[in-house]
């Protein structure tokens, strides 16, 4: 599934995508098309539940959209459209997407990070939307992401100055999911990603749909949550899992160690699934 | 006002509700009905301005909704409906509601916490919505609360992993009102609750209405705030309080010590009220 | 441009407004009219990109709206309307507005802070909406600002208790832009404000419009951002700036030191502008 600048490694339900494109991981039209191709391929593979984007560049996650794309020529407009579509495609990926930002993410590079479901930043990360210096606004939903994550006053400071925000600040301000020191990234990913690989795709879809709706329309989301809860409660799979949970000590003080309890259930259930297949 | 699992102690304008239901404060149908009964009783008592929910269980605030309720039988559906109504009833309580979380709050137990106006968590608290492990979404507005309080990216991480969040993290992420060490809870409550007991019910209603509207519709809330301000400014009570504030040094540098100034006014005003009664 | 209680000092694109009105910077009707006058004057001066409001009072940024204004007499209603208009006028200022809060900001004084684009608070700052003690709600959008910045649960605690919030807490809770120790204010302002003075007014307008729209309607903001991006990308000024950025090492690892790169471009471009004038 590799392309010139993207190395994709799929292991079980997890796809690792390594970006390595020139001096600064610049979002050239060619690189954008490669990313779109890989996203389309990953969407087709139903085994994949998690996609992790990393940069192989020492300094940059991604510098920004190629400035040569941003102009008034026809090719520029085409490139801009491809970039805008890339952001939308990333937001709409089927899997749960992670951006591991261990370097500089600015402009379109930062907008790609914000289009992922989860963003972890290290001590080497900075995040910025410096477009204002070039007489343009962000073009990949950067103003919208800043407004929703930072609130009005911090979004204005961030977008009008265009300056870098480090990861500890970005975590404090709710701009990224979490600040994680680079030497703790792999361990954190292992802990967070492992339970996600056991999820059914439709359960991932369900949570994404509910969260997105809740932000837009609280009342509608409450209604949809109730409907989904009632439907799912009636399924055989739910009853089977509840039965197993109860067998392993759910609803007793064994839940103080809920991780062990769930691990036991998962062990039995996944064995059961492999036996019945 | 006590029930089998709930001890209610009313002192002046404050109702303390102690939950003690089995090994893990499981939200069984019976316990849900008890909670609904107590909420209805507390709503009737117009003296009560503040309700504080605490758990008497050493480890659990409340484990979650009884898994036996979540099934496809008629009784299960009835129990689920009761639970959903409990969450809605808690949100709509007349008083200002506090959840003091000094243990584990998961699933429906955590949704009960989120349905209270104020949530304080201690070093013993964890918050989680682990429903995804059972093939269901949260059923008591847990996805909605996570989305609104945590934002999209953190809500996805929280709901898709289903793992525990401790109170310091929950405070940092804006998921609970505040992290307060367990040995400081009583002192904090005394400081926060005492001024609330002097509030008129209609002033509590006014602030709740304005805040709820502001989140839904900023423009409408600005308009309503102006209307309420102008109406209230014209009331005799307002003029009387302003007169007293000015007598006690309002609008001078005495406001540097505003607590003392307000305490003096309250002392005079409440004496006045008791004299005229 | 000075008035009795306001000293205005304009230097290049920055207007510094110093408030000094009586013992506590009380928002009397006279002081409100002075502020409105200065705001109108500043809006007329198209050179001004940044307005910084400071208090000269040792203890108070501004105590609150004059309690004598809040009553049922005709003059009271007129004063209240002037105050509400002041808040709206402040929100709608053309320039980027800063409130430097190095003292007490309560009630209407705090609402004036919240009406500014950026609010920095020092170790001497406190923020409060204590109106509930006077039988009234905040009247200058204080409930709305609290709800949007703090979220429901913290807004309720803040507005129902009416107590002071210090600046470190206000930063942690997202109520102000940033907590900055008083001895670091001037340096911070220099760093933040300098790049803002180079902005075109229409770029300031663009970012404010996009951020405000994003908070109200995410989908509409995405659409508007795309439209503005495409239009601006086609402008000669954008192409000129991109050309200069590329000449100075954009899209190479020189972007690791982006500040220096931008400073070089600004130096050349501003020289160019002065030469062509």
């Amino acid at each position: 599934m590799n392309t010139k600048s993207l190395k994709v490694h799929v292991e079980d339900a997890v796809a690792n995508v390594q970006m390595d494109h020139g001096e600064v991981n610049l979002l050239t039209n060619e690189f954008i098309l490669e990313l779109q191709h890989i996203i389309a391929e990953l969407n087709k593979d139903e085994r994949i539940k998690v996609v992790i984007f990393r940069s192989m560049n020492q300094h940059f996650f991604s510098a920004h959209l190629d400035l040569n794309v941003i102009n008034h020529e026809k090719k520029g407009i085409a490139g801009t459209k491809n970039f805008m579509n890339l952001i939308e495609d990333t937001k709409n990926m089927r899997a749960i997407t992670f951006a591991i930002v261990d370097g500089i993410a600015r402009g379109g590079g930062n907008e790609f990070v914000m289009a992922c479901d989860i963003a972890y930043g290290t001590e080497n990360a900075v995040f910025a939307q410096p477009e204002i210096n070039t007489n343009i606004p962000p073009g990949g939903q950067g103003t919208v992401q800043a407004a929703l994550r930072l609130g009005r006053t911090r979004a204005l400071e961030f977008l009008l100055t265009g300056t870098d925000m480090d990861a500890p600040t970005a975590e404090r301000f709710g701009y990224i999911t979490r600040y994680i020191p680079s030497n703790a990234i792999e361990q954190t990913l292992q802990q967070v990603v492992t339970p996600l690989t056991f999820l059914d795709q439709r359960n991932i879809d369900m949570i994404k749909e509910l969260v997105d709706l809740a932000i837009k329309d609280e009342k509608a989301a409450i209604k949809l949550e109730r409907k989904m809860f009632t439907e799912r409660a009636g399924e055989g799979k739910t009853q089977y899992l509840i039965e197993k949970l109860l067998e392993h000590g759910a609803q007793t003080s064994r839940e103080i160690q809920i991780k062990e309890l769930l691990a036991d259930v998962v062990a039995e259930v996944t064995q059961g699934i492999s036996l019945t297949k």
Side-chain angles (χ1 to χ4, degrees), chain A:
Chain A
M1 212 190 282
N2 294 349
T3 67
K4 204 177 142 203
S5 309
L6 294 167
K7 213 183 284 178
V8 184
H9 175 72
V10 179
E11 199 178 331
D12 300 327
V14 182
N16 283 280
V17 182
Q18 296 184 329
M19 308 189 296
D20 192 2
H21 181 69
E23 196 172 338
V24 296
N25 275 346
L26 193 69
L27 288 165
T28 61
N29 201 25
E30 293 69 26
F31 190 35
I32 290 167
L33 294 174
E34 285 184 49
L35 280 162
Q36 286 190 294
H37 171 72
I38 291 298
I39 286 171
E41 291 298 308
L42 292 171
N43 279 337
K44 280 183 214 159
D45 187 341
E46 294 189 2
R47 292 167 310 167
I48 296 172
K49 306 289 171 54
V50 173
V51 176
I52 303 172
F53 292 97
R54 284 184 183 83
S55 165
M56 300 307 284
N57 189 292
Q58 200 192 336
H59 296 294
F60 289 84
F61 181 83
S62 168
H64 48 73
L65 179 58
D66 185 358
L67 294 173
N68 295 306
V69 160
I70 306 165
N71 62 35
H72 66 302
E73 295 166 41
K74 278 187 185 169
K75 201 176 141 193
I77 288 174
T80 301
K81 277 191 186 151
N82 290 341
F83 166 67
M84 290 171 176
N85 290 339
L86 167 65
I87 296 301
E88 205 54 36
D89 291 351
T90 309
K91 280 176 68 179
N92 294 329
M93 281 180 78
R94 210 181 30 69
I96 304 161
T97 51
F98 287 72
I100 308 303
V101 186
D102 190 36
I104 296 164
R106 295 198 191 107
N110 187 45
E111 287 168 310
F112 180 77
V113 173
M114 294 294 140
C116 292
D117 296 323
I118 312 278
Y120 293 157
T122 75
E123 66 281 8
N124 304 311
V126 298
F127 307 88
Q129 298 290 158
E131 287 85 348
I132 199 82
N133 294 302
T134 325
N135 193 44
I136 51 173
Q141 312 186 16
T143 52
V144 179
Q145 294 279 5
L148 294 181
R149 290 168 187 239
L150 295 170
R152 184 183 191 272
T153 179
R154 285 172 177 166
L156 289 179
E157 194 191 49
F158 182 66
L159 295 168
L160 288 168
T161 62
T163 50
D164 290 349
M165 186 185 283
D166 62 24
T169 306
E171 190 200 88
R172 269 192 304 133
F173 288 3
Y175 192 57
I176 61 171
T177 321
R178 283 200 272 160
Y179 161 65
I180 295 167
S182 59
N183 62 20
I185 283 283
E186 294 312 317
Q187 199 195 339
T188 303
L189 278 176
Q190 193 137 1
Q191 285 170 359
V192 174
V193 167
T194 306
L196 302 179
T197 62
F198 295 109
L199 294 178
D200 285 352
Q201 183 59 46
R202 64 181 200 132
N203 285 343
I204 298 173
D205 298 344
M206 174 178 72
I207 294 296
K208 286 195 186 187
E209 184 180 353
L210 284 168
V211 168
D212 285 334
L213 184 58
I215 288 165
K216 258 185 295 195
D217 186 340
E218 185 179 346
K219 214 171 160 183
I222 291 170
K223 210 175 152 185
L224 180 63
E225 193 198 79
R226 285 182 175 201
K227 184 173 165 284
M228 283 176 162
F229 181 93
T230 309
E231 283 172 11
R232 292 300 185 84
E235 291 185 4
K237 181 175 178 179
T238 305
Q239 294 164 57
Y240 171 73
L241 286 168
I242 285 175
E243 193 184 304
K244 292 296 152 198
L245 280 161
L246 291 172
E247 280 174 24
H248 284 277
Q251 322 220 126
T252 73
S253 53
R254 213 210 147 184
E255 286 194 11
I256 296 169
Q257 272 84 43
I258 199 170
K259 276 190 188 174
E260 285 79 350
L261 195 166
L262 289 173
D264 288 354
V265 172
V266 166
E268 185 182 338
V269 168
T270 49
Q271 197 188 21
I273 286 170
S274 63
L275 285 174
T276 55
K277 265 182 187 170

